[in-house]
Amino acid sequence: MGHAGFFTIIRPANSFVAGFAAIVAYRIANGTLVYDGILLMAIVTLITAAGNVINDYYDAAIDAINRPGRPIPSGAVSRNAALVYAGLLFFLGILLAGFTSLLCLAIALFNTILLVAYAARLKSTPFFGNVTVSYLAASIFLFGGALAGVNRVPDMLPLVAITFLAMLARELLKDAEDIDGDRAGGADTLPIRIGVRKTALLAFVFAVAAVAASVIPSLWWGAYYLGAIALVDIVIALAAFRALGCTDPGCVKSTGSTSLLKIGMFASLVVFTLSAVLL
């Protein structure tokens, strides 16, 4: 085992983007970037990293089939070490959350419990597991609003909806890609139950809903935001559209839909950031 494995297992890019999204959320909710925003970024980054590690801990058998290069199946990090590492990261994230507000601390504790429950059991629950991870991604904006004040939380709901719906579309398509490994690992996902074609159609519906929700912030950010988000919406809609008609995991993978959705979600975060700063 080496240090590189412990760095890779937290999915650093994923964790950092989540932390950055928290700063964006706080900037949108509060209108400024102060010490609290940096603290929020650290909390979200740590808890997201911990969630990634505990997910790999429980997914070791499935990853040995779907992603053999991941740190645990490749031998870079042992399962026991991963468990201790996840616990330490969760502890540090919750400790820092204690220096914010009671609402933020409550969200941090709830999300920590949900992350562990997701990795241990909910991930193999058809659709509900997808809803759980989508909420966890969208809750970053709730967290930012909560830190700025309870009265700011409602203002964040459109961004929560956009993130939740786009993430749900991606999660469904990821499950469609991973049918073989999930079935071998005993998971019971929605694509296994209803098939790839129906899953792809459902993902497209959620992607379109995300596009529809993305129009709402134009009410306060105006035409410049609407023009920028329209470009992102094209990517998101196209990504989900490409998987329509697929009937097997290989087809979904070949479309690159999940990667395109990830790009679209990151691009939407960039648009939110620029809008919050410039408009």
Side-chain angles (χ1 to χ4, degrees):
M1 293 189 299
H3 296 302
F6 286 96
F7 182 69
T8 303
I9 199 171
I10 67 170
R11 292 182 173 89
N14 172 279
S15 298
F16 175 78
V17 169
F20 178 74
I23 281 194
V24 173
Y26 185 69
R27 175 66 175 79
I28 293 170
N30 196 51
T32 59
L33 284 178
V34 294
Y35 165 76
D36 286 346
I38 305 300
L39 182 61
L40 185 66
M41 178 180 183
I43 295 166
V44 172
T45 299
L46 285 167
I47 293 179
T48 301
N52 289 334
V53 177
I54 200 68
N55 190 65
D56 275 19
Y57 170 81
Y58 281 105
D59 274 2
I62 293 175
D63 283 345
I65 299 171
N66 288 335
R67 299 175 180 85
R70 291 296 301 160
I72 294 178
S74 69
V77 177
S78 71
R79 286 192 80 221
N80 287 340
L83 184 61
V84 173
Y85 189 33
L88 177 62
L89 291 170
F90 276 131
F91 173 77
L92 291 174
I94 292 171
L95 181 66
L96 290 180
F99 293 95
T100 57
S101 67
L102 285 177
L103 181 56
C104 283
L105 178 59
I107 294 174
L109 286 169
F110 177 74
N111 283 10
T112 293
I113 294 170
L114 202 56
L115 279 165
V116 175
Y118 169 77
R121 298 186 68 90
L122 296 179
K123 187 175 184 179
S124 60
T125 304
F127 191 64
F128 189 71
N130 305 118
V131 169
T132 299
V133 75
S134 300
Y135 154 76
L136 287 165
S139 69
I140 293 172
F141 290 99
L142 287 179
F143 207 24
L147 186 60
V150 177
N151 61 315
R152 301 299 298 170
V153 172
D155 297 336
M156 308 303 290
L157 293 182
L159 303 184
V160 170
I162 296 164
T163 306
F164 174 81
L165 292 165
M167 178 63 78
L168 187 52
R170 184 171 186 268
E171 285 298 308
L172 289 172
L173 291 177
K174 279 176 60 182
D175 276 358
E177 288 181 346
D178 293 343
I179 281 181
D180 294 336
D182 288 341
R183 185 179 283 123
D188 184 17
T189 63
L190 191 66
I192 290 175
R193 287 204 174 188
I194 69 173
V196 172
R197 184 188 293 272
K198 290 181 180 178
T199 300
L201 177 59
L202 189 59
F204 180 72
V205 170
F206 285 123
V208 171
V211 168
S214 72
V215 176
I216 297 174
S218 66
L219 295 176
W220 54 85
W221 279 333
Y224 288 110
Y225 161 81
L226 191 60
I229 204 66
L231 298 176
V232 176
D233 287 342
I234 291 172
V235 174
I236 291 175
L238 177 62
F241 178 79
R242 291 180 63 167
L244 285 177
C246 282
T247 58
D248 61 83
C251 175
V252 179
K253 289 180 182 178
S254 69
T255 65
S257 292
T258 57
S259 296
L260 275 175
L261 279 168
K262 187 174 184 178
I263 292 171
M265 293 179 68
F266 180 77
S268 68
L269 181 60
V270 172
V271 172
F272 297 159
T273 303
L274 294 176
S275 299
V277 172
L278 301 176
L279 302 180

